[in-house]
Amino acid sequence: EVSVSTGELVDSGWSGGVILADVGSWGVEFSALGAASGDLRFQAAAQQGMKHLAQVAATSRHHLIGMFLSARTNRTTTSRVGVGGCSDSYYEYLLKMWIQGGKKDDAMLQEWKDAMEEMRAGLLRTTADGTTYLGQSSAWDFATRRYEEPEPRMDHLSCFVGGMLALGHHTVPADRREAWWLPAARNLTQTCYEMYQMTATGLAPDQVEFGSGKMEPPYGGDPVMFRMRPETLESLFVLHRVTGEERYRQWSYKIFEAIQTHAKAAHGYATVRDVRRPRSGHVNTQETFVGAETLKYAYLIHLPSDVLPLDQYVFNTEAHPVPVQA
């Protein structure tokens, strides 16, 4: 945050620092603004922000960066790392800014690849019954020199990772591509789809539990809500574009039908109070991302692949298509 009266940097009160996703998710937009306006200051600012975060990673000696940062130093204010809430779009933008810039910034691609390897080691897990998930968060254990076992729950916010890994498989040259990206993308996105299919409404909770060794709905509270989040529909769209497999389009439409049945309100769409109960009612709000992302990805998957092709456009974190620069 910035004080509008003094211009000084102010750490956010509730987080004790600056949120990683906030700092790391404006580069695509500033780069596009610079290209459209011809004012290179915007692109320079975008590059500077990501380079600063690379310095934070270098200081911490890890490519998964703590969720909260100090506004005044190159350090994090927490050891907790994750790829869901508070972190997500930073990792998304490492890859997308590399694509947007014409695949020229090797350092940015390498930073994304290194972060994905640490995600694989510290957060990616598979249950005994074969369900792949991303633990909510973890931390580096200096005694064992490896990541602690992650918290055995997964946020719906993390469901974008399947699409991100599939996009990496699609855009990164074969000699720099990792063989595990596409299988992990498939498995994670199937888990996210099954988050919807496990409930009476066909809608996913905001979070699922894996503490018992298998995927289960949350026990109550806010995590049982369906907030119209777009991440699963986003990954289904990308995987359909990358693989051409019809099942991803079918899964997307099944989710859309459940949204129409349970989340449609008189004047828009609303958060469903409890996905476990078909008549739990609505929360009287509609999130801004419903039109920008959720319904857009549900629609785009049914269009031909030459409409907004992934080789010519990147979608920013609110699903706005931005041209790739030559």
Side-chain angles (χ1 to χ4, degrees):
E1 297 178 4
V2 177
S3 169
V4 295
S5 60
T6 66
E8 294 180 351
L9 297 174
V10 180
D11 286 328
S12 177
W14 70 269
S15 68
V18 178
I19 298 169
L20 174 61
D22 286 351
V23 180
S25 59
W26 49 270
V28 168
E29 294 79 2
F30 268 53
S31 294
L33 180 58
S37 67
D39 189 338
L40 298 182
R41 292 178 301 168
F42 296 111
Q43 290 170 315
Q47 294 292 329
Q48 170 116 15
M50 297 305 275
K51 285 180 181 178
H52 179 80
L53 290 173
Q55 290 172 359
V56 172
T59 299
S60 67
R61 298 182 181 179
H62 298 289
H63 302 279
L64 287 182
I65 300 177
M67 297 176 182
F68 307 119
L69 315 169
S70 168
R72 299 172 180 81
T73 70
N74 283 351
R75 297 188 179 277
T76 62
T77 60
T78 178
S79 62
R80 303 305 299 178
V81 299
V83 292
C86 297
S87 302
D88 44 8
S89 46
Y90 163 63
Y91 302 106
E92 174 190 3
Y93 272 28
L94 283 172
L95 176 64
K96 289 184 175 179
M97 287 181 68
W98 172 75
I99 298 169
Q100 179 191 23
K103 304 181 181 179
K104 298 172 184 175
D105 192 335
D106 284 347
M108 193 168 295
L109 174 61
Q110 190 60 50
E111 188 64 32
W112 180 76
K113 289 183 63 178
D114 291 341
M116 292 303 96
E117 288 298 329
E118 291 192 10
M119 178 192 76
R120 185 187 187 194
L123 298 170
L124 191 64
R125 295 292 182 267
T126 301
T127 64
D129 66 0
T131 302
T132 300
Y133 72 98
L134 285 164
Q136 189 177 53
S137 69
S138 182
W140 182 257
D141 187 327
F142 286 94
T144 61
R145 298 189 63 78
R146 61 172 181 255
Y147 282 102
E148 299 172 356
E149 271 305 295
E151 295 177 74
R153 66 182 58 87
M154 180 173 172
D155 295 332
H156 190 285
L157 284 165
S158 299
C159 286
F160 84 98
V161 172
M164 177 177 65
L165 290 171
L167 183 63
H169 172 85
H170 179 70
T171 56
V172 175
D175 61 345
R176 302 192 67 183
R177 188 186 306 155
E178 300 297 333
W180 66 271
W181 292 348
L182 188 58
R186 292 180 184 273
N187 292 338
L188 283 170
T189 302
Q190 180 164 346
T191 297
C192 291
Y193 172 68
E194 290 173 355
M195 288 167 62
Y196 287 78
Q197 298 311 297
M198 71 189 298
T199 71
T201 57
L203 297 174
D206 217 35
Q207 190 179 91
V208 288
E209 300 286 341
F210 288 92
S212 68
K214 61 182 181 179
M215 185 165 67
E216 295 180 322
Y219 309 118
D222 288 351
V224 302
M225 293 181 178
F226 175 67
R227 300 179 183 273
M228 290 287 300
R229 294 205 189 276
E231 292 81 15
T232 298
L233 290 166
E234 174 185 358
S235 286
L236 290 170
F237 163 71
V238 177
L239 271 162
H240 180 260
R241 285 288 180 93
V242 169
T243 68
E245 292 180 17
E246 182 63 20
R247 62 172 174 158
Y248 296 119
R249 184 150 51 190
Q250 294 170 352
W251 291 359
S252 177
Y253 191 70
K254 195 165 185 179
I255 292 171
F256 175 71
E257 287 184 312
I259 289 172
Q260 289 294 97
T261 299
H262 297 287
K264 189 81 168 66
H267 303 290
Y269 292 85
T271 295
V272 175
R273 290 187 183 276
D274 189 340
V275 298
R276 304 168 301 177
R277 297 187 295 117
R279 295 178 179 83
S280 65
H282 293 150
V283 177
N284 190 27
T285 58
Q286 177 177 301
E287 301 283 359
T288 57
F289 52 71
V290 171
E293 298 183 77
T294 308
L295 299 179
K296 186 186 293 179
Y297 281 125
Y299 171 67
L300 285 175
I301 198 171
H302 298 284
L303 298 183
S305 60
D306 60 357
V307 175
L308 300 175
L310 298 182
D311 294 320
Q312 297 177 32
Y313 292 88
V314 293
F315 290 84
N316 80 344
T317 195
E318 295 300 318
H320 303 309
V322 176
V324 170
Q325 299 164 17

